[in-house]
């Protein structure tokens, strides 16, 4: 049953050879673009791979690095405090929150300012106290303090769905000072900056390398599939 439409398609191709010519031109252009893109990705991958990493920095004791943190978006550091408290620290750059060129863009401040999320949990408690802080080489400031529920089985913190607390700057100065003392007593201060800055560099470098490789692999596989189509068409 399939011989008739196949024969019709063959006759059409013979009567209108420009169909094949246009197809080959389109395929050749696509192959050339893919090759150019792959070459550019390869060059940048090699360039990035030659970048020297920062000097190795250890986190201040008693903080330890969470295993696998470089490959995820979760906490980076953890420590125990007092009678069973657990403190976890996550970090991101200012540029991850305020895009380059935005109204809040302050040049080099994006390099020297980090945002850290600090979660303090206690055994048997269903909620953690969560601090969002700005971390600098010589200072730390609290942006907000909220309570967050903890998923019972997954261990991941849920986005708060209830009152998140007052604006930190609107709090009484005595409360603000006491909250600063609370996290400083648990080791959350500017001493974390050198390690977290170096850690972010390593993570960003690793992610960039992975990105170049992943995009290149996708383009290359797509290109190979097109090559197989051309071969089957011309045979």
């Amino acid at each position: 049953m399939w011989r008739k439409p196949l024969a019709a398609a063959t006759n059409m191709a013979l009567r209108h050879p420009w169909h094949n010519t246009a197809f080959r031109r389109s395929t050749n252009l696509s192959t050339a673009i893919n090759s150019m893109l792959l070459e550019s990705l390869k060059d940048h991958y090699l360039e990035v791979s030659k970048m020297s990493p920062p000097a190795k920095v250890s986190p201040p004791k008693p903080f330890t690095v969470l295993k696998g943190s470089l490959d995820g978006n979760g906490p980076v550091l953890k420590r125990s405090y007092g009678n069973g408290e657990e403190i976890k620290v996550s970090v991101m750059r200012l540029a991850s929150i305020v895009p380059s060129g935005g109204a809040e863009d302050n040049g080099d401040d994006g390099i020297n300012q980090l945002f850290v999320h600090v979660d303090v949990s206690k055994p048997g408690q269903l909620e953690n106290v969560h601090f969002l802080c700005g971390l600098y080489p010589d200072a730390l400031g609290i942006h907000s303090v909220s309570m967050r529920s903890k998923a019972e089985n997954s261990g991941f913190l849920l986005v708060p769905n209830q009152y998140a607390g007052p604006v930190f700057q609107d709090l009484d100065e005595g409360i603000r000072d006491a909250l600063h003392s609370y996290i400083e007593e648990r080791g959350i201060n500017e001493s974390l900056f050198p390690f977290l800055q170096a850690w972010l560099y390593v993570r960003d470098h690793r992610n960039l390398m992975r990105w170049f490789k992943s995009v290149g692999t996708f383009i290359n596989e797509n290109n190979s599939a097109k090559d197989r189509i051309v071969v089957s068409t011309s045979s």
Side-chain angles (χ1 to χ4, degrees), residues 88-134:
K88 290 185 178 180
V89 180
S90 305
V91 62
M92 63 181 66
R93 294 189 189 281
L94 175 63
S96 300
I97 300 177
V98 180
S100 178
E104 300 293 331
D105 188 8
N106 293 316
D108 292 340
D109 286 351
I111 300 174
N112 292 322
Q113 179 180 357
L114 307 177
F115 278 97
V116 293
H117 297 260
V118 181
D119 292 297
V120 182
S121 62
K122 293 184 177 183
Q125 295 288 332
L126 297 180
E127 290 185 315
N128 299 339
V129 61
H130 177 85
F131 293 83
L132 173 61
C133 306

Side-chain angles (χ1 to χ4, degrees), residues 10-51:
T10 302
N11 291 333
M12 180 179 291
L14 291 174
R15 289 197 304 269
H16 304 287
W18 56 269
H19 279 294
N20 287 337
T21 302
F23 175 76
R24 290 194 184 95
R25 286 177 179 174
S26 176
T27 302
N28 290 339
L29 178 60
S30 178
T31 300
I33 291 174
N34 287 351
S35 297
M36 180 177 64
L37 177 56
L38 286 169
E39 187 65 27
S40 180
L41 288 168
K42 179 182 178 181
D43 290 343
H44 284 82
Y45 177 90
L46 293 174
E47 182 180 349
V48 171
S49 67
K50 296 176 182 177
M51 295 173 63

Side-chain angles (χ1 to χ4, degrees), residues 22-193:
F23 175 76
R24 290 194 184 95
R25 286 177 179 174
S26 176
T27 302
N28 290 339
L29 178 60
S30 178
T31 300
I33 291 174
N34 287 351
S35 297
M36 180 177 64
L37 177 56
L38 286 169
E39 187 65 27
S40 180
L41 288 168
K42 179 182 178 181
D43 290 343
H44 284 82
Y45 177 90
L46 293 174
E47 182 180 349
V48 171
S49 67
K50 296 176 182 177
M51 295 173 63
S52 300
K56 186 175 180 180
V57 181
S58 298
K61 295 181 179 181
F63 285 98
T64 58
V65 182
L66 273 79
K67 184 178 181 180
S69 59
L70 279 172
D71 297 316
N73 295 315
V76 177
L77 298 173
K78 69 175 182 178
R79 64 159 294 185
S80 297
Y81 176 84
N83 190 21
E85 283 188 7
E86 184 176 59
I87 293 94
K88 290 185 178 180
V89 180
S90 305
V91 62
M92 63 181 66
R93 294 189 189 281
L94 175 63
S96 300
I97 300 177
V98 180
S100 178
E104 300 293 331
D105 188 8
N106 293 316
D108 292 340
D109 286 351
I111 300 174
N112 292 322
Q113 179 180 357
L114 307 177
F115 278 97
V116 293
H117 297 260
V118 181
D119 292 297
V120 182
S121 62
K122 293 184 177 183
Q125 295 288 332
L126 297 180
E127 290 185 315
N128 299 339
V129 61
H130 177 85
F131 293 83
L132 173 61
C133 306
L135 179 63
Y136 301 85
D138 57 354
L140 178 137
I142 298 175
H143 289 286
S144 66
V145 182
S146 60
M147 299 300 298
R148 293 194 176 186
S149 297
K150 187 175 183 181
E152 293 182 1
N153 297 320
S154 68
F156 290 101
L157 290 173
L158 300 176
V159 175
N161 57 5
Q162 55 187 4
Y163 179 62
V167 176
F168 187 77
Q169 292 303 319
D170 291 344
L171 290 172
D172 178 81
E173 183 178 358
I175 297 178
R176 296 201 306 267
D177 290 343
L179 286 169
H180 274 102
S181 297
Y182 180 87
I183 59 172
E184 288 173 1
E185 176 65 20
R186 286 155 177 79
I188 309 301
N189 54 48
E190 62 273 16
S191 67
L192 294 172
F193 187 90

